[in-house]
Amino acid sequence: MSGMSSRLRTRLSREDGLRELDKVVQKYGVVNGKPFTFKDHEFQIEIIRDTRSRQTVRKCSQVGLSELMVQKTLALATVFPHKRAIFTLPTKDFADKFSKDRIDSAIENSEHYKSMVVKANNSASQKKIGSFTLYVAGSFGSNSAISIPAEILINDEVDFSNQEVLGKLSSRLRHAEMEDERGYRGMRSKFSTPTVHDYGVDGDFEAGHQAYYMVKCKCCQEWVLPNFFEDFFVPGYDGAIAELRRGDLSNPRYSFDKSILRCPKCRADLWPSICDPSRRQWVAKRPDAWEHSYQVYPWDAPKYNPPGVVIRQMGDYPLISDFYNFVIGVPHSDAENSFNVEQAFKDRISDVRMWEYLAGTLMSGMRNAGVVAGLDVGKIIHFVVKARVGKHWHVVYAEKIANTRGSPATPEILARIDYFRCAKVCTDAGPDITLVNNLVEARHQVSAVVYVRSIKGLQPFEVKGEGEVINADRTKTLKELLAKHNNGELRYMSRQDIRDEIFKHLKTTKKIRERSSDGDMVERFIKTDDEDHWVHALNYAQIAGMVMDFAPQGNIVGVLPGVSKVRVGSAADN
């Protein structure tokens, strides 16, 4: 009974403190020399008042969420003394810059927070605010915060962060004193512009109660939620909004500056209603969901994002996916960033008869330069064989092969390499380095592939030494595989169960774009699920084909027997 009473007191203390955060922020917060205010950002009030211990915000850019979270963090230092908080950003470089610019500025502008800071413990990565300790860390390039127990975890730009590190950081809340009704310990807030469906902030948003900032139309008096693709109207343009591209912005027939958002019900101009905070209200799509999640669109801060300004920003982004992600605040998957897994693509079955294909090579007595293979190594080997047909490659065979210490897969793999008379075979360099070494030693045409972040030269791969190792640009080779698949250049074997599994793995692999530390947009492939083995087996087979097509013949001859190590370079993130 006493334990239950203790938990109840802790919960009440936590909730009472959180309900007061908006007042604390307005009392002590200062931005650019002026007292913090929710004016023109009224949508933020309920987000900061929310007492739920798990909270996610899927948002567009430039709506003040980062500033709000800084102010929230400082308010927590006032409300919850003797606690530790971790505030993360994608990289350590970003985290240091953010800390010095946004957090330090918020502290310096407020006499209250400035008086609380312990100067002896005030660096970019760690701040002591009274008895409250704040750690500011990057998810890439810094693991120091992973070992710190914390009560509060705030993750900024989730989709551009290291998901594995974010998961480890969440585990730091397990010993937090604060506990909610469901047994969740500590507090966790995530917010980010989204990238692709089912990844990062989008997955967390879908798992939550999915609150939208709805509006009551002045014309029909209905509560509605405008949708960019269905309710955005450009005078002079009669096509689908989803078909608009940056090149259309210069078309004189389209009056982009007179664009409006229409009411989904009565089709009247909804903007006068949107601009009236008294007609706005958060409404949850799944009110019974325990974790809370919010969607923030640009028109939720209408003063700064009128329709003409919103649509004109399409010109700032070379890829339409970037416009949808950053400006509208929604995930977007298309042929540029996702493998097409529609049935029409599954039905592209190879018509190659391998017995005929191989018969020619048997008669010639030569290894077939038109057959390559790729392996993704693990406890289960994912083995793929591709045959060249004209200018394209067909996936003609795929198999999963068990691989254990007691029964290594080496003999079975070698038997298949010989049966298909593969001219080139590429395998990843681990995690079973013994198997990889045995394959490289046994067959001169086998090379271990090491994923790296960049390759000098025209080709996205570099053959090392006598060919026992190939460094391959992870992003560029996967991007090439994505393009070949979506352009219809790949056909797959007829075995349906394996083909279905391949497409399941393809679905989990997405290309996202993010800003590097120097501000440039860079591309990176991520996975929305752990199962992506077939994707890499296909990619290793593709690299084998590239080597056959482009590498000097002298460089595709493997090592001679007796080589005992595969020399792997600095690998990129898998």
Side-chain angles (χ1 to χ4, degrees), residues 409-443:
T410 306
E412 293 179 74
I413 295 170
L414 293 176
R416 285 151 182 75
I417 291 172
D418 293 341
Y419 174 80
F420 287 106
R421 303 183 66 79
C422 299
K424 190 66 187 172
V425 180
C426 285
T427 174
D428 57 345
D432 188 347
I433 197 67
T434 300
L435 178 139
V436 175
N437 281 330
N438 289 339
L439 293 176
V440 170
E441 291 174 6
R443 296 293 183 272

Side-chain angles (χ1 to χ4, degrees), residues 307-368:
V309 171
V310 169
I311 199 67
R312 284 286 182 190
Q313 290 182 68
M314 188 178 288
D316 298 333
Y317 297 91
L319 295 183
I320 194 65
S321 58
D322 290 343
F323 170 75
Y324 292 140
N325 295 159
F326 292 103
V327 180
I328 307 303
V330 294
H332 182 71
S333 300
D334 60 13
E336 285 286 340
N337 60 31
S338 304
F339 288 90
N340 193 318
V341 294
E342 293 179 359
Q343 190 61 43
F345 281 72
K346 291 183 180 180
D347 292 340
R348 296 180 306 178
I349 298 174
S350 173
D351 57 2
V352 173
R353 298 182 181 182
M354 282 307 292
W355 67 271
E356 293 180 350
Y357 202 97
L358 296 171
T361 58
L362 289 172
M363 291 179 64
S364 66
M366 297 178 63
R367 194 170 298 278
N368 196 325

Side-chain angles (χ1 to χ4, degrees), residues 107 112-119 121-122 128-130:
I107 292 173
H112 174 74
Y113 297 131
K114 186 163 61 173
S115 68
M116 293 178 64
V117 170
V118 180
K119 293 184 178 180
N121 292 284
N122 185 25
K128 195 79 169 180
I129 308 169

